[in-house]
Amino acid sequence: MRPSQPQKRIAELIKTIKEHDHRYYVLDDPILADAEYDALLKELSGLETRYPQFKSPFSPTQRVGAQVSGDLPAVVHRVKMLSLDNTYSPDEIRAWHTRVSKGLEGEAFTMTVEPKVDGVSCSLMYEGGVLVMAATRGDGVTGEDITHNARVIRCIPLRLEGDVARVLEVRGEVYMDKADLSALNRLRKEQGEVLFANPRNAAAGSLKLLDPAVSAGRRLKFFVHSFGLLEGGKPYADQWQFLSKVEKYGLPVNPHNRLCRHIDDVFTFCDELYHRRAAMVYEVDGVVVKVNGLGQQARLGMTLKSPRWAVAFKFPAHQATTIVKDITIQVGRTGVLTPVAELKPVALAGVTISRATLHNFDEIRRLGVAAGDRVLLERAGDVIPKIVKVVAKLSSSGGITAPKTCPSCKGRIVKEKAEDVAYRCVNPACPQQVERGLIHFAGREAMDIEGLGEAVVVQLVAKGLVKDVAGLYRLTKNDLLGLELFAGKKADNLLAAIAASKKKPLSRFLFGLGVDHVGQKAALVLAGRFKDLRSLMAAKEEGLQTVEEIGPVIARSVVEFFKSARTKRLVRSLEATGVNFKEPRAMPAGDRLKGKKFVFTGELNGITRPQAQKMVEAQGALVMSSVSKTTDYVVAGDSPGSKLDKAVQLGISLLDQKQFEEMAHG
Ligand code: IVH
């Protein structure tokens, strides 16, 4: 490459990457696979390292900056960030419309109607078209500086295009797609972290992270919905014009926004959106109706907290009521006691719910719930359903409190000082703990022992046939024939499945052992690095921490686990049964699916999304995040999203789980 060429290539790459960012984040119509996109970024960053003189501060490689230390600095909003009044019924919207009409002394007015995306408000300050500051709303007067995290949101331009005012502050909603929230929550669950209850909490939490690299992994998105400060530019005539102008600057504007003349059109829109929202990729919790004309807005003014010219109409949450049949206490794999409400089955946002976790005993007290009560259930986005409140106190008894002894083994209960008020049974031989441990070990993501479900495990433990995972490998046909509903063939099959599991790679075995904080991902990383169990057991905390993606919490937990005499005994007896302790070398990449573009939607049974992606990527396929004309296959699992509709529309080949597995395995 001649010296003049790198500069040209850098400019070309920046332009191309920005175009793809726009297609992906704003138009939702990408034409590049993630790997192809990454290759462009890599080429750019390589060139910028070699030729720093050509590096632009607006380059896509410059999004992730340094970590912020300490508290986030406060930012005073020069124009107050208002909130909206909420309404819940068409009557209230009509009343608002009448008030506006009176306020404008009968003058005609139009309205914008915009989806109310469930996220968190954020202000972006552009000076000379360059993003100089991003802030949270805070209390409306003072927010927090989150510039470092706004810069990693790929649909937020670092520089606006076209003729932009000298100072332009746009405001909008930072949010997270439903699928991204589910994936994040799955990961957090695996790592034993508290789950986000809804997209708003997830977005708010992510914006306040100190490390923009972590925030970048959250795949946040943004829609503009209003403006704050405007200096040195032509004022906008109305909200609709503002939205269409900022869209031209390259900012994302919700494509569902609509301009309405009559209040009945507003209702039609609300109705349409209400019925579409389940299929939308992000959570919409209502609509916002605004008087369009900015002059009219000014005449209407505001109350202390919210403008008179706008109003929010909140959709009813996905809710249902049902009866609590019982409150049971589950002893988890690690001994933690979790109260669970056993419910009369009820349909909620498309699924039947028959149990809901009550998390801990404080929650029972807070809700004042007991068996027999009628409760209100709510499910936001793709998250687990929760009991909101008791709606009819039908029980005569009080709610249950933490037991003094373990409901399973009658052993001692210890109250942990942990922030989440956990009570724990500390008897490692506790039958329910052993059961949960065995079920986890046999699970599809661990040793994948078909036929070893809950019903069988419970019997094996109750009869004293199995006391730990090593016991599984000593089971005989006679043992199994003594169980309920076990005929010869079934016993043979289970024994064969148990024997076959001995050959599973170390990563699955390690995950199956259920070391605290070691989820599937960490197990894969550790197994890949140490290759066999003995060397992992010999590793020190510092050594573990040098492994990429392994932090101090996992390192400590692994060392503690393998230090215990009980684990050492277990490992010896597993070794004696011939269980494989080694991680095979990574399979050479095949090219059976070379260049084929895959898109996933919905949940696959027993395979996580990253695993599924790896399966086809190992064969040379490319995985894309959304469907376009160039997609070759759409893999549809349970509760698929709108990607399925799009695939059908475009006539793209659909694969169910079975077809997908056949194709991936060849
Ligand atoms: S306008 C003065 N438009 O809802 C008007 N807000 O409940 C300020 N929101 O704080 C807001 N979508 O975070 C507006 N299309 C939309 C919106 C929207 C979501 C959020 C925003 C606001 C909250 C008020």
Side-chain angles (χ1 to χ4, degrees), residues 82-84 86 114-117 120-121 137 173 225-226 288 290 307 309-310 312:
L82 298 171
S83 180
L84 295 173
N86 285 329
E114 307 167 14
K116 189 169 187 307
V117 177
V120 56
S121 239
R137 175 173 178 274
E173 205 73 0
H225 57 52
S226 47
V288 179
K290 298 173 186 169
W309 46 265

Coordinates of all heavy atoms in Angstrom, one line a residue, residues 82-84 86 114-117 120-121 137 173 225-226 288 290 307 309-310 312, ligand 1:
L82 N -38.3 17.4 31.6 CA -39.6 17.2 32.2 C -40.0 15.7 32.1 O -39.5 15.0 31.3 CB -40.7 18.0 31.4 CG -40.5 19.5 31.5 CD1 -41.4 20.2 30.6 CD2 -40.6 20.0 32.9
S83 N -41.0 15.4 32.8 CA -41.6 14.1 32.8 C -43.0 14.3 32.2 O -43.4 15.4 31.9 CB -41.6 13.5 34.2 OG -42.1 12.3 34.2
L84 N -43.8 13.2 32.1 CA -45.1 13.3 31.6 C -46.2 12.8 32.5 O -45.9 12.0 33.4 CB -45.2 12.4 30.3 CG -44.4 12.8 29.1 CD1 -44.5 11.7 28.1 CD2 -44.8 14.1 28.5
N86 N -49.2 10.6 33.4 CA -49.7 9.3 32.8 C -51.2 9.2 32.8 O -51.9 9.7 33.7 CB -49.2 8.1 33.7 CG -47.8 7.9 33.5 OD1 -47.3 8.1 32.4 ND2 -47.1 7.4 34.5
E114 N -46.5 8.8 19.5 CA -45.2 8.1 19.5 C -45.2 6.9 20.4 O -45.8 7.0 21.5 CB -44.1 9.0 19.9 CG -44.1 10.3 19.1 CD -43.2 11.4 19.7 OE1 -42.3 11.1 20.5 OE2 -43.3 12.6 19.2
P115 N -44.7 5.8 20.0 CA -44.6 4.7 21.0 C -43.8 5.1 22.2 O -42.8 5.8 22.1 CB -43.8 3.6 20.2 CG -43.9 4.0 18.8 CD -44.1 5.5 18.7
K116 N -44.3 4.7 23.4 CA -43.5 5.0 24.6 C -42.7 3.7 24.9 O -43.1 2.7 25.4 CB -44.5 5.2 25.8 CG -43.9 5.7 27.0 CD -44.9 6.2 28.0 CE -44.3 6.9 29.2 NZ -43.3 6.1 29.9
V117 N -41.4 3.9 24.5 CA -40.5 2.7 24.6 C -40.0 2.6 26.0 O -39.7 3.6 26.7 CB -39.3 2.9 23.6 CG1 -38.3 1.8 23.8 CG2 -39.8 3.0 22.2
V120 N -34.9 4.4 29.4 CA -34.6 5.5 30.3 C -34.2 6.7 29.5 O -33.5 6.6 28.5 CB -33.5 5.0 31.3 CG1 -32.3 4.5 30.6 CG2 -33.1 6.0 32.3
S121 N -34.6 7.8 30.0 CA -34.4 9.1 29.3 C -32.9 9.5 29.3 O -32.3 9.3 30.3 CB -35.2 10.2 30.1 OG -36.1 10.8 29.3
R137 N -31.4 11.8 33.1 CA -32.4 12.8 33.5 C -32.2 13.2 34.9 O -32.3 14.4 35.3 CB -33.8 12.2 33.2 CG -34.9 13.2 33.7 CD -36.3 12.7 33.3 NE -37.2 13.6 33.9 CZ -37.7 13.5 35.1 NH1 -37.4 12.5 35.9 NH2 -38.6 14.4 35.5
E173 N -34.9 8.1 24.4 CA -34.9 6.9 25.2 C -33.8 5.9 24.9 O -33.7 5.5 23.8 CB -36.3 6.3 25.0 CG -36.9 5.5 26.2 CD -37.3 6.4 27.3 OE1 -37.2 7.6 27.3 OE2 -37.8 5.8 28.3
H225 N -36.8 11.5 21.1 CA -38.2 11.9 21.2 C -38.4 13.3 21.4 O -39.5 13.8 21.3 CB -38.9 11.0 22.1 CG -38.4 10.9 23.5 ND1 -38.1 12.0 24.3 CD2 -38.1 9.8 24.3 CE1 -37.7 11.6 25.5 NE2 -37.7 10.3 25.5
S226 N -37.4 14.1 21.8 CA -37.6 15.5 22.1 C -36.3 16.3 22.1 O -35.3 15.7 21.8 CB -38.4 15.7 23.4 OG -37.7 14.9 24.4
V288 N -47.1 8.1 23.6 CA -47.0 9.5 24.1 C -47.7 10.4 23.0 O -47.4 10.2 21.8 CB -45.6 10.0 24.3 CG1 -45.5 11.4 24.7 CG2 -44.9 9.1 25.3
K290 N -48.5 14.2 21.7 CA -48.0 15.6 21.8 C -48.7 16.5 20.9 O -48.9 16.1 19.7 CB -46.5 15.6 21.5 CG -45.6 14.7 22.4 CD -44.2 14.7 22.0 CE -43.4 13.7 22.8 NZ -42.1 13.3 22.3
P307 N -45.4 19.0 30.9 CA -46.0 19.9 30.0 C -47.5 19.6 29.8 O -47.9 18.5 29.9 CB -45.2 19.6 28.7 CG -44.8 18.2 28.8 CD -44.6 17.9 30.3
W309 N -48.9 20.2 27.1 CA -49.1 19.8 25.7 C -48.8 18.4 25.3 O -48.8 18.0 24.2 CB -48.2 20.7 24.8 CG -46.8 20.9 25.3 CD1 -46.3 21.9 26.0 CD2 -45.7 20.1 25.0 NE1 -45.0 21.8 26.3 CE2 -44.6 20.6 25.6 CE3 -45.5 18.9 24.3 CZ2 -43.3 20.0 25.6 CZ3 -44.3 18.3 24.2 CH2 -43.2 18.9 24.9
A310 N -48.4 17.6 26.3 CA -48.1 16.2 26.1 C -48.7 15.3 27.2 O -48.9 15.8 28.3 CB -46.6 15.9 26.0
A312 N -48.9 10.9 28.5 CA -48.6 9.5 28.2 C -49.8 8.7 28.4 O -50.6 8.9 29.4 CB -47.5 9.0 29.1
Ligands
IVH1 S1 -41.5 13.1 25.6 C1 -41.6 16.8 27.9 N1 -41.7 11.0 24.1 O1 -41.4 8.5 29.1 C2 -41.7 15.5 27.3 N2 -41.0 10.6 26.3 O2 -43.1 9.1 31.4 C3 -40.6 14.6 27.7 N3 -40.6 8.3 26.9 O3 -39.2 10.7 30.8 C4 -40.7 13.3 27.2 N4 -41.0 7.5 24.9 O4 -38.2 8.8 29.3 C5 -41.4 11.4 25.3 N5 -41.9 9.2 22.6 C6 -41.6 9.7 23.8 C7 -41.2 8.8 24.8 C8 -41.0 9.3 26.1 C9 -40.6 7.2 26.2 C10 -40.3 8.3 28.3 C11 -39.3 9.4 28.7 C12 -40.0 10.3 29.7 C13 -41.0 9.3 30.3 C14 -42.2 10.0 30.8

